């Protein structure tokens, strides 16, 4: 069975541009989470979607947004890119809206902002 | 919100030795504590977790202990092997209100096991 898949693997943008990252959860998983992994900072919670609704968002500015589609896939949009947005963006999925239990992570999308 | 601190940031051990990674948390309402292992170029993978009503949990060479009074939890790896080399993250969750669903991660420990 396929795991969580993310695209693109790498993305290079310049300041002020927009980036769109995509995630396909494990089949049957309805919850999708986005985390930012900047160098040396661990994983920072960005967004949580379940059944197409945003359930919670982390302490990031509004230019970080996303959505979840009817097939439970998700995209993360980052507008007006800044240099400090350079990071690995990880998507994870889980079955149902329970907040306990294993999160299954993808391998991430590496965003570089020049 | 919750604040999770993790130590050490790097840890080198000889194959066969034990490794211990420690984490503290700030919110006494935290009730679930997973540990994730991240190998180079991969996403994090859950290796063990513990809930707040349990003091210790073991799975083969891996164990986690939780001290709710002191608000700290630890990962113990015995008989380490080179394939244990990776970055390990502890995390905590406070399942209420604005923090619902949000895992708070430590900054990670780079474990290197020398053959």
């Amino acid at each position: 069975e396929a795991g969580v898949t993310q695209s693109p693997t790498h993305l290079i943008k310049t300041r002020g541009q927009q980036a769109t990252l995509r995630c396909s959860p494990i089949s049957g998983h309805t919850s999708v989470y986005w985390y930012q992994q900047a160098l040396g900072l661990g994983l920072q919670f960005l967004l949580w979607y379940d059944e197409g609704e945003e359930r919670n968002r982390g302490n990031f500015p509004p230019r970080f947004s996303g959505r979840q589609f009817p097939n439970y896939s998700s995209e993360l949009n980052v507008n007006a890119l800044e240099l400090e947005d350079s990071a690995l963006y990880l998507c994870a999925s889980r079955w149902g809206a329970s907040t306990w239990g294993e999160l299954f992570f993808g391998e991430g999308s590496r965003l570089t902002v020049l | 919100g919750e604040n999770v601190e993790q130590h050490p940031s790097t840890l080198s051990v000889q194959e066969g030795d034990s490794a211990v990674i420690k984490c503290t948390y700030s919110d006494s309402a935290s009730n679930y504590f997973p540990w994730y292992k991240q190998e180079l170029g991969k996403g994090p993978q859950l290796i063990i977790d513990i809930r707040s009503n349990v003091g210790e949990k073991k799975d083969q060479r891996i164990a986690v202990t939780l001290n709710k009074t002191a608000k700290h939890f630890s990962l113990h790896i015995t008989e380490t092997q080179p394939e244990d080399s990776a970055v390990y993250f502890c995390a905590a969750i406070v399942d209420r209100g604005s923090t619902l669903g949000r895992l708070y991660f430590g900054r990670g420990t780079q474990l290197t096991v020398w053959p």
Side-chain angles (χ1 to χ4, degrees):
Chain A
E1 181 179 305
V4 176
T5 57
Q6 294 188 242
S7 64
T9 306
H10 293 88
L11 188 60
I12 299 176
K13 293 284 187 179
T14 56
R15 272 187 307 174
Q17 286 190 313
Q18 180 203 29
T20 298
L21 310 176
R22 296 180 177 83
C23 171
S24 292
I26 290 173
S27 178
H29 286 190
T30 60
S31 271
V32 170
Y33 298 76
W34 287 95
Y35 282 84
Q36 181 194 67
Q37 187 175 19
L39 203 59
L41 290 181
L43 284 75
Q44 305 292 319
F45 171 77
L46 269 165
L47 289 158
W48 170 29
Y49 293 97
D50 182 68
E51 297 284 1
E53 299 289 329
E54 182 181 297
R55 301 294 184 182
N56 204 353
R57 66 176 291 129
N59 300 328
F60 283 84
R63 55 192 187 81
F64 287 82
S65 65
R67 54 179 170 165
Q68 186 178 32
F69 300 98
N71 66 353
Y72 303 117
S73 67
S74 176
E75 69 179 28
L76 174 69
N77 295 293
V78 188
N79 294 319
L81 285 166
E82 300 180 1
L83 296 178
E84 53 264 34
D85 296 334
S86 294
L88 181 69
Y89 289 84
L90 290 162
C91 172
S93 73
R94 172 192 278 147
W95 181 86
S98 170
T99 53
W100 287 8
E102 184 170 5
L103 276 179
F104 293 84
F105 283 89
E107 295 191 345
S109 293
R110 173 77 59 188
L111 172 64
T112 302
V113 183
L114 303 175
Chain B
E2 172 67 284
N3 180 42
V4 176
E5 296 198 355
Q6 183 172 348
H7 300 279
S9 56
T10 60
L11 180 59
S12 291
V13 299
Q14 202 76 32
E15 182 178 0
D17 287 350
S18 295
V20 180
I21 302 170
K22 298 182 178 181
C23 290
T24 60
Y25 60 97
S26 60
D27 194 328
S28 57
S30 289
N31 54 12
Y32 174 65
F33 307 91
W35 286 86
Y36 283 82
K37 174 184 179 182
Q38 186 174 26
E39 297 176 344
L40 198 62
K42 301 263 178 96
Q45 185 174 13
L46 180 74
I47 55 171
I48 196 167
D49 58 7
I50 192 168
R51 298 191 178 185
S52 59
N53 59 347
V54 176
E56 184 173 358
K57 184 177 178 181
K58 191 172 182 181
D59 183 4
Q60 299 183 338
R61 297 186 296 109
I62 293 172
V64 58
T65 59
L66 171 65
N67 184 326
K68 285 195 297 182
T69 303
K71 290 189 280 189
H72 68 70
F73 56 114
S74 301
L75 177 70
H76 304 254
I77 306 174
T78 58
E79 301 172 24
T80 53
Q81 301 166 3
E83 50 266 39
D84 294 330
S85 296
V87 179
Y88 291 80
F89 292 96
C90 63
I93 194 165
V94 184
D95 231 359
R96 64 177 183 208
S98 63
T99 64
L100 190 68
R102 185 190 297 199
L103 266 179
Y104 292 86
F105 283 86
R107 293 195 175 196
T109 297
Q110 172 68 63
L111 173 64
T112 303
V113 181
W114 300 101

